[in-house]
Amino acid sequence: MDHRTVLALYDRDMREGARPDGPGARIERVGAVVRQVADAEGWNGVLWSDLDEATADRAIAEQVDFFAAQGREFEWKVYGHDRPSDLGDRLAAAGFGAEPQETLMIGEVARLTLDTRLPDGVRVVPATDRAGIELVVDVHEQAFGTDGSPLRHQLLTRLAEQPDTMVALVALAGDEPVSAARVELAPGARFAGLWGGGTVAQWRGRGVYRALVAHRARVAAAHGCRYLQVDALPTSRPILERLGFHALSTTTPYISPK
């Protein structure tokens, strides 16, 4: 993989050329900033910027003022290759709080290792109705220890209004949900995003997450996507590398001051 070329494609297609991630959200391009604006339960944030030392502080202040007027907390996604190189420091100085850094990993679908197996007694089923989404949310709350209400709202809304843009999956051991994940798709896009992959504690290390990555890769391939993208936690990165993903950058969420 030509890392520089693929990273430039990702920036152009998925950040500068971003599409709304759900019904009711919109993408706005304001000067050198691309942002998503959604309702209180959706994701609000800055996806891309083209700034330098002379323009960054003013752009940060403008985004803070804009989202404050909307009554919205927002996230500024800072990538390791963004300019200026001290963008994260400037956001921190403006009162933003940094969340844990993740690794931007991209895999070319045709070159991934997808010959994975689920543990005996485990099967993967699509979440195609409210009951299925509740299983996804249950896994999310167990795996990450966070409130799944925003995720429930997001998934149910997309399932009802934009079902072709997402495939959510649940791994079941018998009738018990043990892992869940989703792949997000955009018509004609070269990249599909892998999101929400989580496994309950007692089932980790048994190949379930790996199998769900492979399953989602096959879904993306069937939709004509060439690349898969993941914002990987440290626990996921080695699994993804063994499957054939490449680390191309880092991404750090900066959360706006209250």
Short mmCIF file of all heavy atoms in Angstrom, two decimals, residues 53-122:
data_model
loop_
_atom_site.label_atom_id
_atom_site.label_comp_id
_atom_site.label_asym_id
_atom_site.label_seq_id
_atom_site.Cartn_x
_atom_site.Cartn_y
_atom_site.Cartn_z
N GLU A 53 -0.33 28.40 11.09
CA GLU A 53 -0.09 29.12 12.35
C GLU A 53 -0.81 30.46 12.40
O GLU A 53 -1.18 30.93 13.48
CB GLU A 53 1.42 29.33 12.54
CG GLU A 53 2.21 28.08 12.84
CD GLU A 53 2.53 27.25 11.60
OE1 GLU A 53 2.11 27.65 10.47
OE2 GLU A 53 3.19 26.20 11.74
N ALA A 54 -1.04 31.06 11.24
CA ALA A 54 -1.67 32.38 11.21
C ALA A 54 -3.19 32.32 11.29
O ALA A 54 -3.83 33.31 11.67
CB ALA A 54 -1.24 33.13 9.95
N THR A 55 -3.79 31.18 10.92
CA THR A 55 -5.25 31.11 10.84
C THR A 55 -5.90 30.19 11.87
O THR A 55 -7.12 30.25 12.06
CB THR A 55 -5.67 30.63 9.44
OG1 THR A 55 -5.09 29.32 9.19
CG2 THR A 55 -5.20 31.60 8.36
N ALA A 56 -5.11 29.36 12.55
CA ALA A 56 -5.70 28.31 13.39
C ALA A 56 -6.49 28.88 14.57
O ALA A 56 -7.63 28.45 14.82
CB ALA A 56 -4.62 27.36 13.88
N ASP A 57 -5.92 29.80 15.31
CA ASP A 57 -6.58 30.28 16.53
C ASP A 57 -7.92 30.95 16.20
O ASP A 57 -8.91 30.76 16.91
CB ASP A 57 -5.68 31.24 17.29
CG ASP A 57 -4.47 30.54 17.89
OD1 ASP A 57 -4.54 29.31 18.11
OD2 ASP A 57 -3.44 31.21 18.13
N ARG A 58 -7.94 31.73 15.13
CA ARG A 58 -9.20 32.38 14.76
C ARG A 58 -10.24 31.34 14.35
O ARG A 58 -11.42 31.46 14.73
CB ARG A 58 -8.95 33.36 13.62
CG ARG A 58 -10.22 34.06 13.14
CD ARG A 58 -9.93 35.09 12.07
NE ARG A 58 -11.15 35.72 11.60
CZ ARG A 58 -11.21 36.66 10.66
NH1 ARG A 58 -10.08 37.09 10.11
NH2 ARG A 58 -12.35 37.17 10.28
N ALA A 59 -9.83 30.32 13.59
CA ALA A 59 -10.78 29.29 13.17
C ALA A 59 -11.33 28.53 14.38
O ALA A 59 -12.52 28.20 14.43
CB ALA A 59 -10.10 28.32 12.21
N ILE A 60 -10.48 28.24 15.35
CA ILE A 60 -10.93 27.57 16.57
C ILE A 60 -11.98 28.41 17.28
O ILE A 60 -13.05 27.92 17.67
CB ILE A 60 -9.74 27.26 17.49
CG1 ILE A 60 -8.84 26.20 16.87
CG2 ILE A 60 -10.23 26.82 18.88
CD1 ILE A 60 -7.51 26.04 17.56
N ALA A 61 -11.70 29.70 17.44
CA ALA A 61 -12.64 30.58 18.13
C ALA A 61 -13.97 30.66 17.38
O ALA A 61 -15.05 30.68 17.99
CB ALA A 61 -12.03 31.97 18.28
N GLU A 62 -13.91 30.69 16.05
CA GLU A 62 -15.13 30.76 15.25
C GLU A 62 -15.99 29.52 15.44
O GLU A 62 -17.22 29.62 15.55
CB GLU A 62 -14.78 30.95 13.78
CG GLU A 62 -14.23 32.34 13.45
CD GLU A 62 -13.72 32.46 12.02
OE1 GLU A 62 -13.57 31.40 11.36
OE2 GLU A 62 -13.48 33.58 11.58
N GLN A 63 -15.36 28.34 15.50
CA GLN A 63 -16.13 27.11 15.69
C GLN A 63 -16.71 27.03 17.10
O GLN A 63 -17.84 26.57 17.29
CB GLN A 63 -15.26 25.89 15.39
CG GLN A 63 -14.77 25.81 13.95
CD GLN A 63 -15.88 26.01 12.94
OE1 GLN A 63 -16.92 25.36 13.01
NE2 GLN A 63 -15.68 26.94 12.00
N VAL A 64 -15.96 27.47 18.08
CA VAL A 64 -16.49 27.50 19.45
C VAL A 64 -17.72 28.40 19.52
O VAL A 64 -18.76 28.02 20.09
CB VAL A 64 -15.40 27.98 20.44
CG1 VAL A 64 -16.02 28.26 21.81
CG2 VAL A 64 -14.29 26.94 20.56
N ASP A 65 -17.63 29.56 18.92
CA ASP A 65 -18.77 30.49 18.94
C ASP A 65 -19.97 29.92 18.19
O ASP A 65 -21.12 30.04 18.64
CB ASP A 65 -18.36 31.83 18.31
CG ASP A 65 -17.39 32.62 19.17
OD1 ASP A 65 -17.24 32.28 20.36
OD2 ASP A 65 -16.78 33.56 18.64
N PHE A 66 -19.71 29.28 17.05
CA PHE A 66 -20.81 28.74 16.25
C PHE A 66 -21.57 27.67 17.02
O PHE A 66 -22.80 27.71 17.13
CB PHE A 66 -20.29 28.16 14.94
CG PHE A 66 -21.34 27.40 14.17
CD1 PHE A 66 -22.27 28.08 13.40
CD2 PHE A 66 -21.42 26.02 14.26
CE1 PHE A 66 -23.26 27.38 12.72
CE2 PHE A 66 -22.40 25.32 13.58
CZ PHE A 66 -23.33 26.01 12.81
N PHE A 67 -20.85 26.68 17.55
CA PHE A 67 -21.54 25.58 18.23
C PHE A 67 -22.15 26.03 19.55
O PHE A 67 -23.19 25.51 19.96
CB PHE A 67 -20.59 24.40 18.42
CG PHE A 67 -20.39 23.58 17.18
CD1 PHE A 67 -19.22 23.68 16.42
CD2 PHE A 67 -21.38 22.71 16.73
CE1 PHE A 67 -19.04 22.92 15.27
CE2 PHE A 67 -21.21 21.96 15.57
CZ PHE A 67 -20.04 22.07 14.84
N ALA A 68 -21.53 27.00 20.21
CA ALA A 68 -22.13 27.54 21.44
C ALA A 68 -23.48 28.18 21.13
O ALA A 68 -24.44 28.04 21.89
CB ALA A 68 -21.19 28.55 22.09
N ALA A 69 -23.56 28.87 19.99
CA ALA A 69 -24.83 29.48 19.59
C ALA A 69 -25.89 28.43 19.28
O ALA A 69 -27.09 28.70 19.42
CB ALA A 69 -24.62 30.39 18.38
N GLN A 70 -25.45 27.23 18.87
CA GLN A 70 -26.37 26.13 18.63
C GLN A 70 -26.72 25.38 19.90
O GLN A 70 -27.59 24.50 19.89
CB GLN A 70 -25.75 25.13 17.64
CG GLN A 70 -25.24 25.71 16.34
CD GLN A 70 -26.36 26.25 15.48
OE1 GLN A 70 -27.37 25.59 15.27
NE2 GLN A 70 -26.19 27.47 14.98
N GLY A 71 -26.04 25.70 21.00
CA GLY A 71 -26.24 24.98 22.25
C GLY A 71 -25.69 23.57 22.19
O GLY A 71 -26.21 22.66 22.86
N ARG A 72 -24.61 23.36 21.42
CA ARG A 72 -24.07 22.01 21.20
C ARG A 72 -22.63 21.90 21.68
O ARG A 72 -21.79 22.75 21.37
CB ARG A 72 -24.09 21.66 19.70
CG ARG A 72 -25.46 21.69 19.06
CD ARG A 72 -26.27 20.45 19.38
NE ARG A 72 -27.50 20.43 18.61
CZ ARG A 72 -28.65 20.90 19.06
NH1 ARG A 72 -28.72 21.43 20.28
NH2 ARG A 72 -29.74 20.84 18.31
N GLU A 73 -22.35 20.84 22.42
CA GLU A 73 -20.97 20.43 22.61
C GLU A 73 -20.50 19.82 21.29
O GLU A 73 -21.31 19.22 20.57
CB GLU A 73 -20.88 19.40 23.73
CG GLU A 73 -19.48 18.91 24.05
CD GLU A 73 -19.46 17.87 25.16
OE1 GLU A 73 -19.82 16.71 24.88
OE2 GLU A 73 -19.11 18.22 26.30
N PHE A 74 -19.21 19.95 20.96
CA PHE A 74 -18.75 19.37 19.70
C PHE A 74 -17.34 18.82 19.85
O PHE A 74 -16.62 19.10 20.81
CB PHE A 74 -18.83 20.39 18.56
CG PHE A 74 -17.77 21.48 18.58
CD1 PHE A 74 -16.66 21.41 17.73
CD2 PHE A 74 -17.88 22.57 19.42
CE1 PHE A 74 -15.70 22.40 17.73
CE2 PHE A 74 -16.93 23.58 19.43
CZ PHE A 74 -15.83 23.49 18.58
N GLU A 75 -16.98 18.02 18.87
CA GLU A 75 -15.68 17.36 18.84
C GLU A 75 -14.88 17.86 17.65
O GLU A 75 -15.43 17.99 16.55
CB GLU A 75 -15.88 15.84 18.74
CG GLU A 75 -14.62 15.03 18.58
CD GLU A 75 -14.92 13.55 18.36
OE1 GLU A 75 -15.86 13.03 19.01
OE2 GLU A 75 -14.24 12.92 17.54
N TRP A 76 -13.61 18.12 17.88
CA TRP A 76 -12.70 18.45 16.78
C TRP A 76 -11.76 17.26 16.62
O TRP A 76 -10.94 16.98 17.49
CB TRP A 76 -11.91 19.72 17.10
CG TRP A 76 -11.16 20.31 15.93
CD1 TRP A 76 -10.29 19.67 15.11
CD2 TRP A 76 -11.23 21.67 15.47
NE1 TRP A 76 -9.80 20.54 14.16
CE2 TRP A 76 -10.36 21.77 14.35
CE3 TRP A 76 -11.93 22.81 15.89
CZ2 TRP A 76 -10.16 22.96 13.67
CZ3 TRP A 76 -11.74 24.00 15.21
CH2 TRP A 76 -10.86 24.07 14.10
N LYS A 77 -11.89 16.55 15.51
CA LYS A 77 -11.05 15.38 15.28
C LYS A 77 -9.71 15.83 14.69
O LYS A 77 -9.66 16.32 13.56
CB LYS A 77 -11.73 14.40 14.32
CG LYS A 77 -12.87 13.62 14.97
CD LYS A 77 -13.51 12.64 13.99
CE LYS A 77 -12.60 11.48 13.64
NZ LYS A 77 -12.42 10.54 14.76
N VAL A 78 -8.66 15.67 15.47
CA VAL A 78 -7.32 16.08 15.05
C VAL A 78 -6.53 14.85 14.64
O VAL A 78 -6.39 13.90 15.42
CB VAL A 78 -6.59 16.83 16.17
CG1 VAL A 78 -5.16 17.16 15.75
CG2 VAL A 78 -7.34 18.10 16.55
N TYR A 79 -6.04 14.86 13.41
CA TYR A 79 -5.23 13.76 12.90
C TYR A 79 -3.75 14.11 13.02
O TYR A 79 -3.37 15.29 13.02
CB TYR A 79 -5.59 13.45 11.45
CG TYR A 79 -6.95 12.80 11.31
CD1 TYR A 79 -8.12 13.53 11.45
CD2 TYR A 79 -7.06 11.43 11.06
CE1 TYR A 79 -9.37 12.94 11.35
CE2 TYR A 79 -8.31 10.82 10.95
CZ TYR A 79 -9.46 11.58 11.09
OH TYR A 79 -10.69 10.98 10.99
N GLY A 80 -2.93 13.08 13.12
CA GLY A 80 -1.51 13.29 13.36
C GLY A 80 -0.82 14.06 12.26
O GLY A 80 0.24 14.67 12.50
N HIS A 81 -1.39 14.07 11.07
CA HIS A 81 -0.78 14.78 9.95
C HIS A 81 -1.43 16.13 9.67
O HIS A 81 -1.08 16.79 8.69
CB HIS A 81 -0.84 13.90 8.68
CG HIS A 81 -2.23 13.50 8.29
ND1 HIS A 81 -2.96 12.58 8.99
CD2 HIS A 81 -3.03 13.91 7.26
CE1 HIS A 81 -4.15 12.43 8.41
NE2 HIS A 81 -4.21 13.23 7.37
N ASP A 82 -2.37 16.56 10.51
CA ASP A 82 -3.03 17.85 10.30
C ASP A 82 -2.06 19.01 10.55
O ASP A 82 -1.12 18.89 11.34
CB ASP A 82 -4.25 17.99 11.22
CG ASP A 82 -5.45 17.20 10.73
OD1 ASP A 82 -5.43 16.73 9.57
OD2 ASP A 82 -6.41 17.04 11.51
N ARG A 83 -2.38 20.12 9.91
CA ARG A 83 -1.62 21.34 10.13
C ARG A 83 -2.47 22.36 10.88
O ARG A 83 -3.70 22.34 10.74
CB ARG A 83 -1.16 21.94 8.79
CG ARG A 83 -0.25 21.06 7.97
CD ARG A 83 0.16 21.77 6.69
NE ARG A 83 -1.01 22.17 5.90
CZ ARG A 83 -1.01 23.17 5.00
NH1 ARG A 83 0.09 23.85 4.77
NH2 ARG A 83 -2.10 23.46 4.33
N PRO A 84 -1.84 23.26 11.62
CA PRO A 84 -0.43 23.27 11.98
C PRO A 84 -0.10 22.11 12.91
O PRO A 84 -1.00 21.49 13.49
CB PRO A 84 -0.25 24.62 12.67
CG PRO A 84 -1.59 24.93 13.23
CD PRO A 84 -2.59 24.37 12.26
N SER A 85 1.16 21.82 13.06
CA SER A 85 1.57 20.64 13.83
C SER A 85 1.18 20.74 15.29
O SER A 85 1.09 19.73 15.98
CB SER A 85 3.08 20.42 13.71
OG SER A 85 3.78 21.56 14.18
N ASP A 86 0.93 21.96 15.78
CA ASP A 86 0.54 22.15 17.18
C ASP A 86 -0.96 22.42 17.32
O ASP A 86 -1.40 23.04 18.30
CB ASP A 86 1.34 23.28 17.82
CG ASP A 86 1.06 24.65 17.17
OD1 ASP A 86 0.43 24.69 16.08
OD2 ASP A 86 1.48 25.67 17.75
N LEU A 87 -1.77 21.92 16.36
CA LEU A 87 -3.21 22.17 16.41
C LEU A 87 -3.82 21.67 17.71
O LEU A 87 -4.65 22.34 18.33
CB LEU A 87 -3.89 21.51 15.21
CG LEU A 87 -5.41 21.66 15.11
CD1 LEU A 87 -5.82 23.12 15.09
CD2 LEU A 87 -5.95 20.93 13.88
N GLY A 88 -3.41 20.48 18.16
CA GLY A 88 -3.92 19.96 19.41
C GLY A 88 -3.60 20.86 20.59
O GLY A 88 -4.44 21.09 21.47
N ASP A 89 -2.40 21.37 20.64
CA ASP A 89 -2.01 22.29 21.72
C ASP A 89 -2.85 23.56 21.69
O ASP A 89 -3.23 24.09 22.74
CB ASP A 89 -0.53 22.65 21.61
CG ASP A 89 0.39 21.47 21.87
OD1 ASP A 89 -0.04 20.51 22.55
OD2 ASP A 89 1.55 21.50 21.39
N ARG A 90 -3.13 24.04 20.50
CA ARG A 90 -3.95 25.25 20.38
C ARG A 90 -5.38 24.99 20.85
O ARG A 90 -6.00 25.85 21.49
CB ARG A 90 -3.94 25.74 18.93
CG ARG A 90 -2.59 26.29 18.47
CD ARG A 90 -2.57 26.56 16.97
NE ARG A 90 -1.26 26.98 16.51
CZ ARG A 90 -0.88 28.26 16.37
NH1 ARG A 90 -1.72 29.22 16.65
NH2 ARG A 90 0.34 28.55 15.95
N LEU A 91 -5.91 23.81 20.54
CA LEU A 91 -7.24 23.47 21.02
C LEU A 91 -7.25 23.35 22.55
O LEU A 91 -8.18 23.82 23.21
CB LEU A 91 -7.71 22.16 20.38
CG LEU A 91 -8.08 22.26 18.90
CD1 LEU A 91 -8.14 20.88 18.27
CD2 LEU A 91 -9.42 22.98 18.72
N ALA A 92 -6.22 22.72 23.10
CA ALA A 92 -6.13 22.61 24.56
C ALA A 92 -6.07 23.98 25.20
O ALA A 92 -6.70 24.23 26.25
CB ALA A 92 -4.92 21.77 24.94
N ALA A 93 -5.32 24.90 24.61
CA ALA A 93 -5.21 26.25 25.15
C ALA A 93 -6.55 26.99 25.10
O ALA A 93 -6.81 27.88 25.91
CB ALA A 93 -4.15 27.04 24.38
N ALA A 94 -7.41 26.58 24.14
CA ALA A 94 -8.73 27.18 24.02
C ALA A 94 -9.76 26.50 24.92
O ALA A 94 -10.95 26.84 24.87
CB ALA A 94 -9.20 27.13 22.57
N GLY A 95 -9.33 25.54 25.73
CA GLY A 95 -10.23 24.90 26.68
C GLY A 95 -10.75 23.54 26.28
O GLY A 95 -11.56 22.95 27.01
N PHE A 96 -10.32 23.01 25.14
CA PHE A 96 -10.75 21.68 24.72
C PHE A 96 -10.05 20.61 25.56
O PHE A 96 -8.91 20.79 25.99
CB PHE A 96 -10.40 21.44 23.25
CG PHE A 96 -11.28 22.16 22.27
CD1 PHE A 96 -11.19 23.54 22.11
CD2 PHE A 96 -12.19 21.46 21.49
CE1 PHE A 96 -11.99 24.21 21.19
CE2 PHE A 96 -12.99 22.12 20.56
CZ PHE A 96 -12.89 23.50 20.41
N GLY A 97 -10.75 19.51 25.76
CA GLY A 97 -10.17 18.36 26.46
C GLY A 97 -9.89 17.23 25.49
O GLY A 97 -10.75 16.86 24.68
N ALA A 98 -8.69 16.67 25.56
CA ALA A 98 -8.30 15.58 24.66
C ALA A 98 -8.75 14.25 25.22
O ALA A 98 -8.56 13.96 26.40
CB ALA A 98 -6.79 15.57 24.44
N GLU A 99 -9.33 13.41 24.35
CA GLU A 99 -9.66 12.05 24.71
C GLU A 99 -8.54 11.13 24.22
O GLU A 99 -7.63 11.57 23.52
CB GLU A 99 -11.02 11.67 24.12
CG GLU A 99 -12.17 12.49 24.71
CD GLU A 99 -13.52 11.89 24.45
OE1 GLU A 99 -13.67 11.11 23.49
OE2 GLU A 99 -14.45 12.20 25.23
N PRO A 100 -8.57 9.85 24.59
CA PRO A 100 -7.46 8.97 24.20
C PRO A 100 -7.24 8.91 22.69
O PRO A 100 -8.18 8.88 21.90
CB PRO A 100 -7.91 7.61 24.76
CG PRO A 100 -8.78 7.94 25.92
CD PRO A 100 -9.52 9.17 25.50
N GLN A 101 -5.97 8.90 22.34
CA GLN A 101 -5.59 8.83 20.93
C GLN A 101 -5.88 7.45 20.35
O GLN A 101 -5.71 6.43 21.02
CB GLN A 101 -4.10 9.14 20.79
CG GLN A 101 -3.60 9.23 19.36
CD GLN A 101 -2.12 9.49 19.31
OE1 GLN A 101 -1.30 8.57 19.33
NE2 GLN A 101 -1.74 10.76 19.26
N GLU A 102 -6.33 7.43 19.11
CA GLU A 102 -6.55 6.18 18.38
C GLU A 102 -5.68 6.19 17.12
O GLU A 102 -5.13 7.23 16.74
CB GLU A 102 -8.03 6.03 18.02
CG GLU A 102 -8.92 5.94 19.25
CD GLU A 102 -10.40 5.94 18.93
OE1 GLU A 102 -10.79 6.48 17.88
OE2 GLU A 102 -11.18 5.39 19.73
N THR A 103 -5.56 5.03 16.50
CA THR A 103 -4.76 4.90 15.29
C THR A 103 -5.68 4.78 14.08
O THR A 103 -6.58 3.94 14.07
CB THR A 103 -3.86 3.66 15.37
OG1 THR A 103 -3.01 3.76 16.52
CG2 THR A 103 -2.98 3.55 14.13
N LEU A 104 -5.45 5.63 13.08
CA LEU A 104 -6.18 5.52 11.83
C LEU A 104 -5.58 4.36 11.05
O LEU A 104 -4.42 4.41 10.63
CB LEU A 104 -6.08 6.81 11.02
CG LEU A 104 -6.65 6.73 9.60
CD1 LEU A 104 -8.16 6.51 9.63
CD2 LEU A 104 -6.32 8.00 8.80
N MET A 105 -6.37 3.30 10.85
CA MET A 105 -5.90 2.12 10.14
C MET A 105 -6.78 1.90 8.91
O MET A 105 -8.01 2.03 8.97
CB MET A 105 -5.94 0.90 11.05
CG MET A 105 -5.14 1.08 12.33
SD MET A 105 -4.80 -0.46 13.19
CE MET A 105 -3.61 -1.22 12.09
N ILE A 106 -6.13 1.59 7.81
CA ILE A 106 -6.83 1.38 6.54
C ILE A 106 -6.35 0.07 5.93
O ILE A 106 -5.15 -0.23 5.93
CB ILE A 106 -6.61 2.55 5.58
CG1 ILE A 106 -7.29 3.81 6.14
CG2 ILE A 106 -7.16 2.24 4.19
CD1 ILE A 106 -7.11 5.06 5.33
N GLY A 107 -7.30 -0.70 5.43
CA GLY A 107 -6.98 -1.95 4.75
C GLY A 107 -7.61 -1.98 3.37
O GLY A 107 -8.73 -1.49 3.18
N GLU A 108 -6.89 -2.50 2.42
CA GLU A 108 -7.44 -2.71 1.08
C GLU A 108 -8.15 -4.05 1.08
O GLU A 108 -7.54 -5.09 1.34
CB GLU A 108 -6.33 -2.68 0.03
CG GLU A 108 -6.86 -2.66 -1.38
CD GLU A 108 -5.78 -2.36 -2.41
OE1 GLU A 108 -4.60 -2.21 -2.02
OE2 GLU A 108 -6.13 -2.27 -3.60
N VAL A 109 -9.45 -4.03 0.83
CA VAL A 109 -10.29 -5.22 1.02
C VAL A 109 -9.72 -6.44 0.31
O VAL A 109 -9.66 -7.54 0.87
CB VAL A 109 -11.74 -4.93 0.55
CG1 VAL A 109 -12.58 -6.20 0.65
CG2 VAL A 109 -12.36 -3.82 1.38
N ALA A 110 -9.26 -6.26 -0.92
CA ALA A 110 -8.80 -7.40 -1.71
C ALA A 110 -7.53 -8.03 -1.14
O ALA A 110 -7.20 -9.18 -1.48
CB ALA A 110 -8.54 -6.96 -3.15
N ARG A 111 -6.82 -7.33 -0.26
CA ARG A 111 -5.56 -7.82 0.27
C ARG A 111 -5.66 -8.27 1.74
O ARG A 111 -4.66 -8.63 2.35
CB ARG A 111 -4.48 -6.75 0.15
CG ARG A 111 -4.16 -6.38 -1.29
CD ARG A 111 -3.11 -5.28 -1.38
NE ARG A 111 -2.79 -4.95 -2.76
CZ ARG A 111 -1.84 -5.55 -3.47
NH1 ARG A 111 -1.12 -6.52 -2.92
NH2 ARG A 111 -1.59 -5.19 -4.72
N LEU A 112 -6.86 -8.24 2.31
CA LEU A 112 -7.03 -8.61 3.71
C LEU A 112 -7.12 -10.13 3.87
O LEU A 112 -7.56 -10.85 2.97
CB LEU A 112 -8.29 -7.97 4.28
CG LEU A 112 -8.30 -6.44 4.35
CD1 LEU A 112 -9.63 -5.95 4.88
CD2 LEU A 112 -7.15 -5.90 5.20
N THR A 113 -6.72 -10.59 5.04
CA THR A 113 -6.85 -12.01 5.40
C THR A 113 -8.21 -12.21 6.05
O THR A 113 -8.44 -11.75 7.17
CB THR A 113 -5.73 -12.43 6.38
OG1 THR A 113 -4.47 -12.19 5.77
CG2 THR A 113 -5.86 -13.89 6.75
N LEU A 114 -9.12 -12.87 5.35
CA LEU A 114 -10.50 -12.98 5.82
C LEU A 114 -10.91 -14.39 6.18
O LEU A 114 -12.08 -14.66 6.44
CB LEU A 114 -11.45 -12.42 4.74
CG LEU A 114 -11.20 -10.97 4.31
CD1 LEU A 114 -12.21 -10.56 3.24
CD2 LEU A 114 -11.27 -10.03 5.51
N ASP A 115 -9.94 -15.32 6.23
CA ASP A 115 -10.28 -16.72 6.54
C ASP A 115 -10.30 -16.91 8.06
O ASP A 115 -9.44 -17.55 8.65
CB ASP A 115 -9.28 -17.67 5.88
CG ASP A 115 -7.84 -17.37 6.26
OD1 ASP A 115 -7.57 -16.23 6.71
OD2 ASP A 115 -6.99 -18.26 6.10
N THR A 116 -11.28 -16.31 8.70
CA THR A 116 -11.42 -16.40 10.15
C THR A 116 -12.60 -17.30 10.51
O THR A 116 -13.52 -17.49 9.71
CB THR A 116 -11.65 -15.01 10.76
OG1 THR A 116 -12.86 -14.47 10.21
CG2 THR A 116 -10.49 -14.08 10.43
N ARG A 117 -12.57 -17.83 11.73
CA ARG A 117 -13.65 -18.70 12.21
C ARG A 117 -14.17 -18.21 13.54
O ARG A 117 -13.41 -17.75 14.39
CB ARG A 117 -13.13 -20.13 12.37
CG ARG A 117 -12.76 -20.82 11.07
CD ARG A 117 -12.38 -22.27 11.32
NE ARG A 117 -12.05 -22.97 10.09
CZ ARG A 117 -11.69 -24.25 10.04
NH1 ARG A 117 -11.63 -24.97 11.17
NH2 ARG A 117 -11.41 -24.81 8.88
N LEU A 118 -15.47 -18.35 13.68
CA LEU A 118 -16.09 -18.06 14.96
C LEU A 118 -15.90 -19.22 15.92
O LEU A 118 -15.79 -20.38 15.49
CB LEU A 118 -17.58 -17.80 14.78
CG LEU A 118 -17.97 -16.47 14.13
CD1 LEU A 118 -19.38 -16.54 13.60
CD2 LEU A 118 -17.82 -15.33 15.14
N PRO A 119 -15.87 -18.94 17.23
CA PRO A 119 -15.84 -20.05 18.19
C PRO A 119 -17.07 -20.95 18.03
O PRO A 119 -18.13 -20.50 17.56
CB PRO A 119 -15.85 -19.34 19.55
CG PRO A 119 -15.37 -17.95 19.26
CD PRO A 119 -15.83 -17.62 17.88
N ASP A 120 -16.94 -22.17 18.42
CA ASP A 120 -18.07 -23.10 18.36
C ASP A 120 -19.26 -22.53 19.13
O ASP A 120 -19.11 -22.01 20.25
CB ASP A 120 -17.69 -24.45 18.96
CG ASP A 120 -16.69 -25.21 18.08
OD1 ASP A 120 -16.55 -24.83 16.90
OD2 ASP A 120 -16.04 -26.14 18.61
N GLY A 121 -20.42 -22.63 18.51
CA GLY A 121 -21.65 -22.19 19.17
C GLY A 121 -21.95 -20.72 19.01
O GLY A 121 -22.98 -20.24 19.51
N VAL A 122 -21.08 -19.98 18.30
CA VAL A 122 -21.30 -18.53 18.09
C VAL A 122 -21.69 -18.31 16.64
O VAL A 122 -21.12 -18.90 15.72
CB VAL A 122 -20.04 -17.72 18.43
CG1 VAL A 122 -20.26 -16.24 18.13
CG2 VAL A 122 -19.68 -17.91 19.91
#
